[in-house]
Amino acid sequence: MSHKVLVIEDEPTLARLLSYNLTQEGYDTTVIDHGATGLQTALQRNFDLIILDIMLPGLNGFEILTRLRQNGVKTPIIILTARNAEEEVVQGLKHGADDYITKPFGVAELLARVSAVLRRTQQDDIVPIETSEKVITVGDLSIYPEKYEVILNGETVPLRPKEFEVLLYLVQRPGMVITRDDLMNVVWGFDYIGGQRTVDVHVSSLRKKLELGQSVQIESIRGVGYKLVMSKKLVTPK
């Protein structure tokens, strides 16, 4: 069965380009040219991927992103951003986008990003049949790898999947300097085409969500990456 892709794009020429090339590649493509209608379609029907423009009539892409995630829609979303619009990229990732493409873009890049996001999503959906619950305790954090759950001072911290994976990778290597490339390859995969700004946005979001904790911090190593530092010894109960 072919993957179902929803394109929310109001510019006719670009919408036709996206629809034609995705269909030629074998994707079942639906195109919507209005923000509110696009949101309603994404909420009412199941898609494997959403390609979402930021500037739309009715509702903009950020509003659509926020409402979809608030309603529990986990469908991967690629946003379309303007050239040199770094703020759009940052906002999009913070609102829950999985990847971005900067306009103008080539067909090969578009298809490569679509394929990569779908492949990562399929890998994320693989769940081991038999697992025993484990918990990693570091400072005032309790991390449950199998459940993608983090408890801070007795309260659940709502993390997006990639934020959790970044935190878990750092926690498993306390005191070590982890480069942005390492985090990019481990968490997003070697075939991820996005830039390192994606890592920085997720780390920044992590810091804000963990700021109530006193014993664990994520330090920036200028020009290199990040390091997890703590005041208590990492303990992994069995």
Side-chain angles (χ1 to χ4, degrees):
M1 181 180 293
S2 60
H3 288 101
K4 295 181 179 180
V5 179
L6 172 62
V7 176
I8 308 177
E9 168 60 62
D10 68 314
E11 203 286 306
T13 301
L14 181 55
R16 287 195 298 269
L17 173 70
L18 290 166
S19 178
Y20 174 80
N21 285 284
L22 289 168
T23 302
Q24 287 293 107
E25 197 68 12
Y27 297 109
D28 182 357
T29 309
T30 299
V31 178
I32 303 294
D33 63 359
H34 190 273
T37 307
L39 172 63
Q40 184 178 24
T41 303
L43 289 172
Q44 294 178 343
R45 296 169 54 185
N46 292 324
F47 293 93
D48 298 297
L49 177 71
I50 298 172
I51 298 177
L52 175 64
D53 193 15
I54 296 299
M55 302 302 296
L56 291 164
L59 290 174
N60 66 44
F62 299 132
E63 293 172 311
I64 294 173
L65 266 170
T66 299
R67 296 195 189 184
L68 287 176
R69 296 316 188 208
Q70 287 176 343
N71 280 275
V73 176
K74 297 181 179 180
T75 305
I77 299 174
I78 299 176
I79 58 172
L80 304 179
T81 71
R83 176 181 290 178
N84 299 324
E86 182 180 8
E87 183 59 30
E88 286 188 355
V89 173
V90 172
Q91 285 194 50
L93 293 171
K94 286 184 176 179
H95 282 75
D98 296 86
D99 199 358
Y100 63 91
I101 302 177
T102 302
K103 296 185 287 186
F105 51 83
V107 173
E109 178 188 4
L110 165 71
L111 296 177
R113 287 184 182 272
V114 167
S115 177
V117 169
L118 288 171
R119 185 162 54 249
R120 291 199 304 273
T121 304
Q122 291 171 341
Q123 291 172 348
D124 290 343
D125 288 340
I126 298 175
V127 178
I129 296 176
E130 295 182 4
T131 59
S132 58
E133 187 176 46
K134 300 176 183 177
V135 56
I136 298 175
T137 302
V138 49
D140 36 28
L141 287 177
S142 295
I143 301 168
Y144 296 83
E146 276 100 6
K147 297 193 297 184
Y148 272 53
E149 185 174 286
V150 174
I151 306 295
L152 173 62
N153 295 325
E155 299 290 335
T156 299
V157 181
L159 297 182
R160 300 201 303 269
K162 294 306 180 187
E163 291 174 345
F164 181 89
E165 291 169 18
V166 169
L167 176 62
L168 182 61
Y169 192 72
L170 291 172
V171 162
Q172 291 172 332
R173 293 154 183 81
M176 294 177 57
V177 177
I178 308 299
T179 68
R180 289 179 174 83
D181 282 339
D182 284 341
L183 282 171
M184 183 75 72
N185 292 334
V186 170
V187 176
W188 283 269
F190 287 94
D191 56 0
Y192 182 66
I193 308 174
Q196 293 182 347
R197 184 61 178 164
T198 301
V199 176
D200 296 335
V201 170
H202 281 74
V203 171
S204 175
S205 179
L206 258 178
R207 283 173 168 155
K208 292 179 181 178
K209 293 179 179 180
L210 301 177
E211 64 185 3
L212 295 179
Q214 300 298 317
S215 60
V216 179
Q217 292 183 330
I218 300 174
E219 288 188 354
S220 296
I221 308 301
R222 190 177 183 85
V224 180
Y226 299 97
K227 177 174 67 173
L228 187 90
V229 294
M230 64 201 75
S231 60
K232 297 182 181 179
K233 185 177 181 180
L234 178 66
V235 179
T236 308
K238 297 181 180 179

